[in-house]
Amino acid sequence: MKSLLTILALLLAAGLRAQPAPRSVSPAAGRFVFGPATTLAADRELLPLARYAAPYLGCRVEERRTADGAVVLLLDPTLDLPAEGYALDIAPERILLRAPSLGGVFNGLQQLFRLLPAEVYACRGLEAGTSVACCRIDDAPRFAYRGMMLDLARTWIDAPALKRYIDLLSYHNINKLHLHLSDDEGWRIEIRSHPELAAVGGFRGGDSPVRPVYGKWDEKYGGYFTQDEMRSLIDYAALRNIEIIPEIDLPGHSRCIASVRPEIRCNYPPDTVSTNGYDYRSAWCVAREENYALLDDILGELCALFPSEYIHVGGDEVETSQWERCPDCRALMRRRGLADAHALEDLFMERVAAILARHGKRPAVWNEAAKSGRLGREARVYGWESVRASLDATAKGYATVVMPGESFYFDMRQSPEEDGHDWAGIFDARKTYGFDPAGCGFTPEQMKHVIGLQGAFFSEAYISHDPERPDYLDYMTFPRICALARIAWSGNDEGWEAYRRELTDAHYDRMAAMGIRFRLFPPRLEVRDAMMHLSTDDGSELWQVADGGAPERYRGPVPAAEAPRMRFFSRRATARSPYVAGRSYYRTIAPEVAITTSMGESRRFPYANAERYRGLSRTTRACRQGDWVLYTFAQPVRCREMFLQTGNRQLPKTIVTTGRVEVSYDGRTFHPAGELRQGSATLHPDRAVRAVRIVSTCDDNGTPYVTIQPPRIKPAL
């Protein structure tokens, strides 16, 4: 019997350890077999969860039945487990799932799903004869808060897509969904007392006063949730053990609402010459008393709509220079004896916290808002800037969600040549998995204030990646969310290599069945004996693509001489890897170039930055029709590819939104060479180039300047 149980334990291991890992497993002899007569039995309070599970398991639901052949769900407050813990007993005659709360029952159902074939997530019911090994599992989470933040302000995500994402989070035991509902570029929630905020501010471009800055520049783009739609989403998430926490970002990041209600801004005339008439100020005026009445209306409705104890009110990246220029804010500082404009944020957040308290809620804030320590300790702090920010918040006694960008901002790129931001670092699931608060310097007393971990996806770049499909969002967040879920639920004691093998051997199939377009780890590329050799150990298929060609199956080593034009990647079901290539594929040259434009030169970011291939340059204003950027090379340049980019490296913002490209081979006569695509152009000249010119055909780009990147030029072969 001892040998049999050992074998059963090994057979169970793949299903039990790969997302998230239960804390206690006791194998037993036998198997429970699903069949046409299998039922889901639950008392009245658990019937909604039984109905949730029924399509996955293919069982009919019966109230309060404990006979053989049933999956039985029971609330058991006598269990010595945290609220989200559960006890799962699988015996040959029945499966019994007990928990002290609905959340615990839901978590136990997810563990049961993970023991079954991956096809369970297709929600078509199990095939007759599907069985699961008998065992006893006792489990509970490491942290009570296991969250994910999704930015809906920059890229609109509608209700069906958001429900899909809620499902994906719930499969991984994520229990908090922090929705970033407002920012400079969008307002995504109906406020019935001020319907213009969403009806107007929910859209940018076209006839909206909010100008487009990231993508879809030639259409009126956006959307918002009505309160009834949001209430339905709240209920949908709650059944799946997910609390939705709304965020209205204050007092900065408010250009959108300020474009709809300009009177909330500070009392001085803005400089709109650089933006072609657009008021680019983004902060609420602290001194304007009417602003707090408007905030009372807004926050009062949110408090009534959302069951969450907390309303997130932002507090990050406030441009205090706007308050310094405001005579009313300066007068307020004198009356209150405040030394600098940063103290005005404390005053503003105290007023906002008082509004929330009157409506029975607590404030949640980004770590900057708690830096001075003046905010009341009823506030919850989200430590995003760094580990040090969370150390500071916990030392001050704030309940803290730890989420430093360098490990948990899933909009960061995952390798140097992939899409995404890089200001917080370049990392994949391995770094997320490796994070452990215990090794970050928190004292035992500070750890008492760490309530959990959270990932984040800010969506500035998503809008430029076909957001009507989930591919980019999935690719950027999975499997990083898997790693977050694992460490937040059960830690990372087993080590990366063991965890990675669990992912590839067991959880990849589950994510594919869930329909996730997740990221595979890149295949290995080695050069031996003048040949490029590709390999992978995750069961994926290898592919190769030559410049200008279609992808082809990798059939064996490729001559290293082809490296400058070859890339490779892998596919497995719904997933794909990033491209990998030899160093020579990415090699560029830096011919001497002079950059001039019709839009002036920033003193802080001069053209010399881009001319010397050392960083970005900026103009002094946004582009208008007929404006130009001219790249003149000291000597004619022969190359196989020339990439000219306006805007940020990681996303198309501060660009020439529409325009054409012209090329000159003698420095005098220019010839059409194509249209800009998201502010950039890629040329493949068949002869030496002396100059290239970008000509704007748009009126502005919604920002105060155009960014100019150094040209990226690949040498001729």
Side-chain angles (χ1 to χ4, degrees), residues 294-372:
L294 176 57
L295 285 167
D296 201 331
D297 291 344
I298 293 169
L299 296 175
E301 290 195 32
L302 293 182
C303 291
L305 175 60
F306 288 90
S308 174
E309 182 183 3
Y310 290 88
I311 305 295
H312 202 301
V313 288
D316 64 314
E317 299 179 326
V318 183
E319 295 181 21
T320 57
S321 61
Q322 296 171 39
W323 296 336
E324 292 167 352
R325 294 185 60 187
C326 174
D328 297 339
C329 287
R330 292 199 303 271
L332 177 61
M333 290 174 61
R334 289 193 297 270
R335 290 196 303 272
R336 294 295 187 100
L338 303 179
D340 60 67
H342 290 284
L344 288 175
E345 182 175 2
D346 289 334
L347 182 61
F348 183 92
M349 298 309 282
E350 288 169 8
R351 295 287 301 270
V352 168
I355 292 171
L356 292 176
R358 288 198 299 273
H359 292 281
K361 301 289 186 179
R362 300 171 184 262
V365 297
W366 299 115
N367 57 259
E368 297 101 310
K371 192 170 292 185
S372 71

Side-chain angles (χ1 to χ4, degrees), residues 19-41:
Q19 291 313 121
R23 60 170 62 177
S24 173
V25 182
S26 302
R31 302 184 73 85
F32 178 89
V33 181
F34 287 85
T38 306
T39 59
L40 261 167

Side-chain angles (χ1 to χ4, degrees), residues 172-431:
H172 293 83
N173 292 34
I174 297 296
N175 68 346
K176 310 291 182 185
L177 176 56
H178 168 182
L179 292 182
H180 191 74
L181 293 171
S182 78
D183 212 294
D184 290 329
E185 298 80 23
W187 183 281
R188 304 302 185 198
I189 186 67
E190 175 192 29
I191 303 298
R192 290 173 175 171
S193 59
H194 300 280
E196 73 281 359
L197 298 185
V200 178
F203 301 87
R204 58 181 184 253
D207 62 357
S208 171
V210 185
R211 293 191 183 175
V213 294
Y214 288 122
K216 294 185 179 291
W217 296 272
D218 57 352
E219 64 181 89
K220 188 174 182 178
Y221 168 77
Y224 64 91
F225 294 114
T226 67
Q227 291 193 15
D228 287 341
E229 288 170 333
M230 181 54 70
R231 194 170 288 109
S232 175
L233 285 166
I234 291 168
D235 292 342
Y236 187 88
L239 178 64
R240 290 154 178 80
N241 193 39
I242 292 178
E243 172 191 343
I244 293 182
I245 301 167
E247 180 190 354
I248 300 297
D249 206 350
L250 303 167
H253 284 282
S254 297
R255 189 175 302 117
C256 175
I257 185 174
S259 297
V260 179
R261 298 289 297 266
E263 70 276 10
I264 73 169
R265 289 182 168 120
C266 284
N267 180 26
Y268 66 90
D271 177 8
T272 60
V273 173
S274 63
T275 57
N276 197 20
Y278 190 39
D279 192 338
Y280 205 65
R281 292 177 296 171
S282 60
W284 292 66
C285 180
V286 182
R288 189 175 190 276
E289 195 62 30
E290 295 90 338
N291 280 352
Y292 301 102
L294 176 57
L295 285 167
D296 201 331
D297 291 344
I298 293 169
L299 296 175
E301 290 195 32
L302 293 182
C303 291
L305 175 60
F306 288 90
S308 174
E309 182 183 3
Y310 290 88
I311 305 295
H312 202 301
V313 288
D316 64 314
E317 299 179 326
V318 183
E319 295 181 21
T320 57
S321 61
Q322 296 171 39
W323 296 336
E324 292 167 352
R325 294 185 60 187
C326 174
D328 297 339
C329 287
R330 292 199 303 271
L332 177 61
M333 290 174 61
R334 289 193 297 270
R335 290 196 303 272
R336 294 295 187 100
L338 303 179
D340 60 67
H342 290 284
L344 288 175
E345 182 175 2
D346 289 334
L347 182 61
F348 183 92
M349 298 309 282
E350 288 169 8
R351 295 287 301 270
V352 168
I355 292 171
L356 292 176
R358 288 198 299 273
H359 292 281
K361 301 289 186 179
R362 300 171 184 262
V365 297
W366 299 115
N367 57 259
E368 297 101 310
K371 192 170 292 185
S372 71
R374 286 186 56 178
L375 192 63
R377 296 311 183 268
E378 76 279 3
R380 175 192 284 166
V381 174
Y382 288 68
W384 72 276
E385 282 187 300
S386 62
V387 171
R388 182 177 296 178
S390 292
L391 287 168
D392 178 68
T394 53
K396 289 183 170 71
Y398 290 104
T400 303
V401 177
V402 178
M403 51 179 302
E406 63 264 26
S407 295
F408 294 109
Y409 267 39
F410 299 155
D411 43 85
M412 296 299 122
R413 64 183 62 177
Q414 299 178 75
S415 67
E417 302 300 332
E418 291 183 77
D419 285 343
H421 295 291
D422 60 5
W423 60 263
I426 299 172
F427 66 91
D428 62 11
R430 179 170 187 165
K431 185 173 183 182

Side-chain angles (χ1 to χ4, degrees), residues 391-701:
L391 287 168
D392 178 68
T394 53
K396 289 183 170 71
Y398 290 104
T400 303
V401 177
V402 178
M403 51 179 302
E406 63 264 26
S407 295
F408 294 109
Y409 267 39
F410 299 155
D411 43 85
M412 296 299 122
R413 64 183 62 177
Q414 299 178 75
S415 67
E417 302 300 332
E418 291 183 77
D419 285 343
H421 295 291
D422 60 5
W423 60 263
I426 299 172
F427 66 91
D428 62 11
R430 179 170 187 165
K431 185 173 183 182
T432 302
Y433 173 83
F435 183 86
D436 189 348
C440 293
F442 292 93
T443 67
E445 184 62 28
Q446 285 175 286
M447 281 301 299
K448 295 177 183 177
H449 299 294
V450 174
I451 63 171
L453 308 176
Q454 177 167 288
F457 179 80
F458 283 97
S459 64
E460 299 99 331
Y462 188 18
I463 182 62
S464 304
H465 290 80
D466 196 5
E468 289 73 28
R469 298 189 301 165
D471 298 47
Y472 181 76
L473 177 60
D474 287 6
Y475 182 93
M476 295 296 286
T477 57
F478 287 95
R480 289 193 279 197
I481 282 176
C482 303
L484 162 67
R486 179 57 166 265
I487 63 174
W489 183 275
S490 53
N492 55 9
D493 289 345
E494 69 273 72
W496 169 251
E497 290 304 326
Y499 176 67
R500 182 179 183 274
R501 181 50 57 194
E502 292 170 21
L503 274 178
T504 58
D505 289 355
H507 202 59
Y508 275 10
D509 287 341
R510 295 195 192 105
M511 286 195 287
M514 295 171 192
I516 303 175
R517 281 80 160 174
F518 60 98
R519 177 187 185 266
L520 298 172
F521 296 104
R524 290 181 293 274
L525 172 61
E526 297 178 289
V527 178
R528 301 192 308 271
D529 303 322
M531 302 292 285
M532 292 186 289
H533 299 258
L534 268 289
S535 62
T536 182
D537 62 356
D538 61 6
S540 58
E541 299 174 344
L542 293 169
W543 292 74
Q544 63 189 47
V545 57
D547 284 349
E552 299 177 345
R553 288 290 298 273
Y554 173 79
R555 294 183 177 84
V558 177
E562 296 293 311
R565 55 188 295 273
M566 296 295 298
R567 292 184 294 173
F568 306 89
F569 66 97
S570 63
R571 288 175 175 165
R572 175 174 168 175
T574 58
R576 65 161 291 160
S577 77
Y579 288 111
V580 295
R583 291 182 181 178
S584 60
Y585 181 86
Y586 298 107
R587 188 170 76 86
T588 60
I589 57 176
E592 183 179 348
V593 63
I595 299 176
T596 54
T597 86
S598 59
M599 294 172 277
E601 181 177 12
S602 164
R603 294 178 63 183
R604 185 179 176 189
F605 299 95
Y607 298 141
N609 290 354
E611 291 172 339
R612 295 171 183 169
Y613 300 88
R614 293 181 178 175
L616 60 84
S617 305
R618 288 177 181 170
T619 66
T620 56
R621 61 172 174 82
C623 48
R624 301 166 189 155
Q625 291 191 42
D627 277 325
W628 48 267
V629 180
L630 177 64
Y631 307 77
T632 304
F633 297 100
Q635 300 294 330
V637 176
R638 292 191 177 277
C639 62
R640 72 179 190 276
E641 180 177 292
M642 182 180 295
F643 180 67
L644 304 175
Q645 182 178 20
T646 65
N648 299 343
R649 281 285 194 212
Q650 72 275 21
L651 79 162
K653 181 184 180 182
T654 66
I655 67 173
V656 177
T657 56
T658 62
R660 63 181 184 272
V661 186
E662 301 171 342
V663 62
S664 175
Y665 304 106
D666 59 8
R668 298 182 300 275
T669 305
F670 285 83
H671 308 277
E675 300 293 316
L676 291 182
R677 185 177 182 275
Q678 300 197 35
S680 303
T682 302
L683 307 179
H684 297 96
D686 57 4
R687 49 184 161 148
V689 173
R690 187 62 186 269
V692 182
R693 183 165 60 197
I694 292 174
V695 181
S696 170
T697 57
C698 58
D699 290 321
D700 63 72
N701 61 13

